[in-house]
Amino acid sequence: MTNSLLEKYFSAISHIIPQKETVSSLGLDIGVDSCKVVETVKTGDGYQVINWGIEPIENADTQGSVKKLLSRLKIQSKSPNTAVFGKGTLIRYIEMPRMSMEDLKKSFDIEADKYFPFARDQIYTSCYILDPVAKDKQMSVLVAAVKKEIINERMELIFNLGLQPNFITLNPIAIANVFYSSGEENPKNKTVKEGIVPSATAVLDIGETVSSLVIMIDNLPRFTRDIFLGGQDFTKKISNALGISLAEARKLKYQPGDRAQEILSLCDSTLMNLASEVRLSFDYFMTERNIPVTKLFLTGGASTLSGLLELFSKSLDISIEKWNPIVSLKISNVLDDDFNKNINRLGVALGLALYHHA
């Protein structure tokens, strides 16, 4: 069994020598309002979750939140896999003449300025061939960039916690890695049967400040977009309409009780804007690739808003459901109810925790 293909995407970005394989793998997802960890071990052809946790970030003390979370969990690994997201990060998908990975890196080092609106000396970049075994003259390439200050800040945070970062990727790639790790399709062996129309699957990870949309074909990402709408926008709508504090509005958002319909109505315009942006992305993808998106999974902390799935279903004429990655993975242990209740908040951390196993 080979290493996860997605693990190779951003090895250049982290600028850290990869550590030796450990018994367990730790995924550390640091968000705006909370940090999440998932620790896994490999068990035959599946996985076992041996640790997980969520800790809110209070008073912007991210380091204190991570430290508190790690201190109450018996974490084996001291080399977390982590990810960054939002402004200052970019992913592009391009078609290029087929060449070796070595030649691609040389070419990309010279031509990176063509793909990113950042000065070359201000970013870390990486690239990866998505169809390495195809025989076509053209190849599909994922290229990515992250501002150096974002990576450097994350590395400093990890080091200050007494940990050694294993690598740093991007949130959308971590999400895609869960699909790739499920093994439902092996792109290397995939053959398109005559008469079968290919289709794509999408995941919308609705975070606090940004929602990341990933469209995949055969469990590999082929389109990524950040939409700068999220849970904080819902909270502000509720706060302004009801004249309550942001803290009260946030609590009401997640625990609406018998006011669920009222809260959903207050967020309606923001949700419709988000659904509209998703629809535009699907239309663009269809125009560019002539492949329809036939299924959308919703995940992320803000996706738990009561009634959100139903509203999206009315706005987008495709199959939509809440994403439960445990269904597609061979998880050998029976997880507690709290884990299952919080699975929508743990997608990135889980994807990060699945990178290691060889």
Side-chain angles (χ1 to χ4, degrees):
M1 184 174 180
T2 60
N3 286 333
S4 165
L5 182 135
L6 294 178
E7 180 178 355
K8 301 174 183 177
Y9 279 173
F10 298 99
S11 59
I13 286 181
S14 67
H15 283 228
I16 296 174
I17 298 175
Q19 302 301 299
K20 290 184 179 180
E21 181 96 18
T22 57
V23 173
S24 68
S25 178
L26 179 64
L28 173 59
D29 172 21
I30 300 175
V32 174
D33 69 335
S34 65
C35 57
K36 287 80 68 176
V37 298
V38 172
E39 187 177 20
T40 66
V41 292
K42 193 76 178 68
T43 56
D45 61 348
Y47 308 91
Q48 184 176 33
V49 176
I50 62 173
N51 259 314
W52 73 276
I54 300 173
E55 186 68 32
I57 297 174
E58 299 178 350
N59 302 317
D61 183 12
T62 301
Q63 183 171 315
S65 175
V66 178
K67 186 175 182 179
K68 184 177 180 180
L69 178 58
L70 296 179
S71 68
R72 65 180 173 86
L73 298 174
K74 296 179 181 179
I75 300 294
Q76 295 182 26
S77 174
K78 298 300 180 183
S79 299
N81 308 324
T82 189
V84 294
F85 64 96
K87 293 180 179 178
T89 70
L90 282 174
I91 299 174
R92 297 282 186 263
Y93 300 86
I94 59 176
E95 297 295 316
M96 298 181 65
R98 187 162 296 280
M99 64 186 75
S100 68
M101 189 64 196
E102 183 180 356
D103 289 339
L104 173 62
K105 288 181 178 180
K106 292 177 182 177
S107 174
F108 188 65
D109 284 340
I110 298 172
E111 300 182 352
D113 292 344
K114 291 170 55 177
Y115 309 112
F116 305 115
F118 305 132
R120 187 69 180 87
D121 61 354
Q122 294 178 358
I123 56 174
Y124 294 135
T125 62
S126 194
C127 54
Y128 192 78
I129 301 172
L130 288 167
D131 54 351
V133 298
K135 302 300 182 182
D136 303 338
K137 292 183 179 180
Q138 293 289 107
M139 63 182 186
S140 299
V141 178
L142 180 154
V143 296
V146 179
K147 283 193 171 182
K148 289 183 177 180
E149 61 192 70
I150 296 174
I151 296 296
N152 294 342
E153 287 175 5
R154 178 57 56 86
M155 288 171 61
E156 182 180 4
L157 171 64
I158 301 298
F159 284 132
N160 286 342
L161 289 164
L163 304 174
Q164 172 70 47
N166 190 32
F167 70 88
I168 301 174
T169 184
L170 300 181
N171 278 19
I173 301 303
I175 289 288
N177 193 52
V178 179
F179 281 81
Y180 186 84
S181 299
S182 71
E184 292 179 350
E185 299 281 2
N186 187 340
K188 292 183 179 181
N189 300 326
K190 178 75 173 178
T191 57
V192 179
K193 296 180 180 180
E194 188 175 352
I196 302 271
V197 179
S199 63
T201 298
V203 181
L204 181 65
D205 181 14
I206 309 176
E208 279 298 291
T209 58
V210 59
S211 297
S212 296
L213 178 67
V214 185
I215 301 178
M216 290 167 289
I217 302 174
D218 297 336
N219 289 339
L220 287 175
R222 297 292 181 145
F223 175 91
T224 307
R225 181 191 173 195
D226 282 342
I227 303 169
F228 290 92
L229 291 169
Q232 283 188 359
D233 298 286
F234 306 158
T235 302
K236 290 176 182 178
K237 285 283 187 179
I238 298 168
S239 174
N240 293 336
L242 300 180
I244 58 178
S245 69
L246 291 173
E248 292 173 312
R250 187 177 186 280
K251 183 177 181 180
L252 192 57
K253 177 178 65 177
Y254 291 123
Q255 301 174 14
D258 58 4
R259 303 177 67 180
Q261 189 57 50
E262 175 190 3
I263 298 306
L264 182 66
S265 296
L266 295 177
C267 301
D268 183 77
S269 61
T270 302
L271 288 169
M272 293 306 296
N273 287 339
L274 180 57
S276 177
E277 292 299 325
V278 171
R279 187 186 305 108
L280 287 172
S281 296
F282 288 171
D283 291 344
Y284 173 82
F285 186 82
M286 177 64 182
T287 300
E288 288 292 305
R289 293 186 173 269
N290 198 30
I291 296 176
V293 178
T294 58
K295 191 159 196 169
L296 172 65
F297 291 100
L298 299 179
T299 190
S303 72
T304 59
L305 181 70
S306 180
L308 182 146
L309 188 147
E310 291 75 17
L311 188 148
F312 264 71
S313 296
K314 292 178 182 178
S315 302
L316 301 169
D317 189 24
I318 62 171
S319 172
I320 303 177
E321 63 183 71
K322 290 289 181 67
W323 185 41
N324 185 350
I326 297 303
V327 172
S328 60
L329 293 166
K330 296 178 180 177
I331 301 294
S332 60
N333 55 321
V334 178
L335 298 161
D336 56 38
D337 289 340
D338 282 344
F339 183 89
N340 293 315
K341 288 177 182 177
N342 286 283
I343 191 63
N344 280 91
R345 304 176 66 187
L346 296 169
V348 171
L350 179 61
L352 293 167
L354 295 175
Y355 271 92
H356 67 316
H357 309 287

